[in-house]
Amino acid sequence: MSENGNKIRIFDTTLRDGEQSPGVSITPEQKVQIAIKLDQLGVDAIEAGFPIVSQGEIQAIKSIKKAGLNAEICGLARALVHDIDTVITCDLNYVHTFIATSDIHMQYKLKMSPEQVIQKAVQAVDYAKSHGLQVEFSAEDATRSDIAFLTKVFRAVGEAGADRIDIPDTVGYATPEFISYLVRTLRENISVPISLHCHNDFGLAVANSIAGINAGATCAHVTVNGLGERAGNASLEEFVMALQCLYKKEHNIHTKLLYETSKSVSNIMGMAVQANKAIIGENAFGHESGIHTHGVLSNPLTYEPIDPEMVGRKRWLQAGKHAGSHGIRAMLGDFGIECTDIQLHKIVERQKILADKGKSISTSELLSIAGEVVQNSKFEEKFKLYDFHIVTGMNLIPTAVIRLNTNGKDLIASDTGVGPVDAALKAIQKVASEIANVKIREYKLDSITGGSDALAEVSVKVEDKDGNVVSARKAGEDVVVASVQAVIDAINKVMLRKVLYPKN
Ligand code: KIV
Ligand code: ZN
């Protein structure tokens, strides 16, 4: 069924189509970093870039090729001798060459007749094969092309020696039914292995890729986090997990590395992943509602179609107004807190009152409520934010003054920074350093809504001197306030870990 035993071939184009995501541009060194991650993940082929676009791209592709990875390394080229020569200059022996075959592209973009397009396609494949290259040929905008003409082009490039033909759904216009029909039709006429390259303009990229595989295609072009032109390409993680769990097909991906790879790509490319994205979004394995947490705690399969560990993740529970006693008891249990049914009821109700005020309940806030209810001060938040103020401006050095309270004692510190957030976080670390020797390891700011009053989400990770790392998130309209609250919350959590698990 596939060129590679029974396994579906994963052709990763994060470094080519993914890098074409509007606003993304990375250095050659960063491209190599991502290629290494993709190789560890187990992709079969890496489309390392489009060498004709810049000298930096050529340098990046050469370095990726030199890295001696297991994956096959491919470069993109238009069906032009000069483009193919540039791929060869990068020391590659694998080219992905393309030319458009739809009427709209041939008439308005290429300004070529169908005969000229076939001629160019065949010449390009001939040329690449005569230089010893492995050739994957794409008919750009294939899904909006006349099927008879498309078949003619694919047959001609197959006869010229193309090793694989690819069906790009360039503007994400196809439906699963159409892709299935197209792949079956092509298979009746052409014996070259078929790949799919689906874009996500209607949110169907993964469904279309799967439909193509079920109809007999053996490879899909995918990207980590679904990055790519406009709405992106088929997401690698969704495609692979659907393939494995729902269609029982094999592949070479080490699924336990999916989350870690997604994080690296998101950080390096500066493209945040939406919280509710399947497999890799922050909420993909989080549960708040009482009914769901109860179910998951009794048997994870009740509300988890995928074991989080399969993709390198962990289940987490969230306090809040939908939370029930089972979930809250489990969350407290994680910190070794036991309580009676009456105490538990009080804790659940108190955190619901807070949540009804529109507050998202952090773990340290929940523990602090629990501490008060079970009358054990060791669960209390170590640091309470009293006040802070910041001065900033064009000709001023941003300066923050922070006032915290710990065990009834006021602590004040000030510091400067490159901006108001930097100044505030440095001041917090300074003020907390008397009690907690912590460092901020990661700080990430995402805008959740648009506009100057956008809701921003701050995620931070702090580490104590023993290497314990905890994370915290806060959303708010004021990024400085959200940043200060997130860091204090994380410091409180890491301090609590020490109290509850002194040996860790
Ligand atoms: O989407 C597309 O058509 C492409 C081609 C270069 C294959 O990315
Ligand atoms: Zn594409």
Side-chain angles (χ1 to χ4, degrees):
M1 134 189 231
S2 91
E3 316 104 285
N4 179 12
N6 227 10
K7 292 186 173 167
I8 300 306
R9 177 179 163 88
I10 304 293
F11 178 103
D12 183 280
T13 180
T14 307
L15 290 173
R16 200 277 298 169
D17 222 324
E19 205 200 345
Q20 283 172 222
S21 302
V24 169
S25 177
I26 54 175
T27 64
E29 294 72 28
Q30 288 173 318
K31 286 192 81 142
V32 177
Q33 259 177 289
I34 293 180
I36 293 171
K37 284 279 178 196
L38 294 171
D39 193 50
Q40 289 165 346
L41 183 65
V43 305
D44 299 288
I46 294 174
E47 186 165 41
F50 193 4
I52 197 74
V53 300
S54 78
Q55 281 306 316
E57 187 81 338
I58 292 177
Q59 188 197 325
I61 298 170
K62 276 187 173 173
S63 310
I64 291 170
K65 180 67 185 175
K66 247 204 223 144
L69 307 178
N70 289 318
E72 295 176 79
I73 310 297
C74 175
L76 183 69
R78 288 167 297 180
L80 295 173
V81 164
H82 183 47
D83 277 27
I84 297 170
D85 281 342
T86 318
V87 168
I88 297 170
T89 311
C90 296
D91 309 320
L92 298 183
N93 50 16
Y94 183 5
V95 66
H96 172 203
T97 186
F98 71 99
I99 190 164
T101 51
S102 64
D103 288 348
I104 188 162
H105 276 237
M106 291 191 290
Q107 186 181 346
Y108 292 99
K109 186 184 80 174
L110 298 175
K111 303 194 190 326
M112 281 183 195
S113 67
E115 290 67 35
Q116 286 171 314
V117 165
I118 294 207
Q119 202 187 15
K120 281 268 179 204
V122 170
Q123 277 172 356
V125 174
D126 256 344
Y127 184 77
K129 287 311 291 179
S130 70
H131 284 77
L133 301 181
Q134 179 186 165
V135 179
E136 180 139 356
F137 173 83
S138 276
E140 191 188 9
D141 208 15
T143 51
R144 293 194 300 174
S145 303
D146 174 77
I147 296 186
F149 176 60
L150 183 67
T151 310
K152 206 166 148 186
V153 175
F154 279 148
R155 193 180 292 129
V157 295
E159 282 162 8
D163 298 281
R164 221 169 273 109
I165 53 171
D166 175 54
I167 305 174
D169 183 24
T170 302
V171 293
Y173 201 69
T175 58
E177 292 76 16
F178 179 72
I179 289 280
S180 179
Y181 167 73
L182 183 59
V183 172
R184 284 182 210 284
T185 306
L186 290 171
R187 285 190 74 215
E188 279 164 18
N189 290 283
I190 296 147
S191 57
V192 180
I194 298 175
S195 298
L196 296 142
H197 176 108
C198 298
H199 278 272
N200 206 29
D201 299 70
F202 285 90
L204 289 174
V206 170
N208 284 338
S209 307
I210 296 272
I213 296 292
N214 284 337
T218 53
C219 171
H221 291 197
V222 290
T223 57
V224 173
N225 300 345
L227 291 172
E229 286 274 0
R230 306 180 309 281
N233 290 59
S235 118
L236 182 152
E237 42 288 329
E238 293 173 11
F239 175 71
V240 163
M241 293 313 291
L243 208 58
Q244 174 173 326
C245 301
L246 307 178
Y247 294 94
K248 313 295 172 211
K249 305 242 189 235
E250 290 179 23
H251 53 77
N252 283 324
I253 298 297
H254 305 299
T255 59
K256 275 186 183 297
L257 297 179
L258 281 173
Y259 185 56
E260 180 189 321
T261 312
S262 155
K263 279 262 172 221
S264 299
V265 169
S266 166
N267 287 340
I268 295 173
M269 295 233 180
M271 290 282 282
V273 171
Q274 80 197 50
N276 61 334
K277 182 136 176 77
I279 319 289
I280 48 159
E282 278 318 299
N283 292 354
F285 297 98
H287 306 274
E288 178 181 323
S289 104
I291 297 170
H292 286 216
T293 39
H294 182 198
V296 162
L297 291 166
S298 313
N299 180 342
L301 290 177
T302 51
Y303 288 103
E304 274 176 5
I306 300 169
D307 177 352
E309 306 222 333
M310 245 174 111
V311 295
R313 302 203 59 181
K314 286 204 175 352
R315 163 181 324 124
W316 58 274
L317 307 179
Q318 168 75 47
K321 75 172 176 190
H322 304 105
S325 53
H326 288 92
I328 297 290
R329 194 188 280 288
M331 289 176 77
L332 297 176
D334 272 352
F335 285 87
I337 302 175
E338 284 173 9
C339 48
T340 64
D341 287 350
I342 293 172
Q343 287 170 330
L344 181 64
H345 181 73
K346 274 193 193 152
I347 297 167
V348 172
E349 289 312 305
R350 280 193 45 188
Q351 60 94 41
K352 279 187 192 230
I353 292 169
L354 272 186
D356 274 340
K357 290 182 181 150
K359 209 167 156 21
S360 124
I361 317 287
S362 65
T363 309
S364 58
E365 280 161 339
L366 177 68
L367 294 178
S368 165
I369 294 172
E372 281 174 38
V373 172
V374 301
Q375 294 184 342
N376 189 337
S377 61
K378 78 177 179 182
F379 304 131
E380 263 181 27
E381 290 173 295
K382 198 84 195 152
F383 295 106
K384 288 203 167 67
L385 177 64
Y386 251 33
D387 193 15
F388 75 89
H389 64 259
I390 292 173
V391 275
T392 187
M394 275 241 305
N395 298 313
L396 290 171
I397 298 172
T399 307
V401 180
I402 298 276
R403 200 168 141 219
L404 302 182
N405 184 281
T406 181
N407 302 330
K409 197 174 132 201
D410 264 2
L411 301 173
I412 292 188
S414 69
D415 213 331
T416 56
V418 293
V421 171
D422 188 42
L425 301 198
K426 280 185 175 152
I428 296 174
Q429 287 185 95
K430 203 184 225 183
V431 78
S433 66
E434 284 183 26
I435 294 173
N437 190 351
V438 293
K439 284 202 166 55
I440 298 170
R441 281 279 165 245
E442 231 178 85
Y443 171 90
K444 200 161 130 267
L445 180 66
D446 292 318
S447 162
I448 299 175
T449 54
S452 59
D453 60 351
L455 196 61
E457 186 182 67
V458 175
S459 320
V460 295
K461 277 196 179 144
V462 306
E463 183 177 352
D464 69 12
K465 66 173 185 350
D466 302 321
N468 294 311
V469 178
V470 302
S471 47
R473 275 187 294 167
K474 252 320 174 234
E477 277 146 10
D478 185 323
V479 290
V480 184
V481 174
S483 304
V484 166
Q485 288 175 336
V487 169
I488 292 180
D489 192 33
I491 295 177
N492 277 328
K493 270 199 210 171
V494 87
M495 297 293 292
L496 252 157
R497 270 195 72 88
K498 280 191 114 42
V499 175
L500 297 167
Y501 304 108
K503 291 212 179 74
N504 280 353

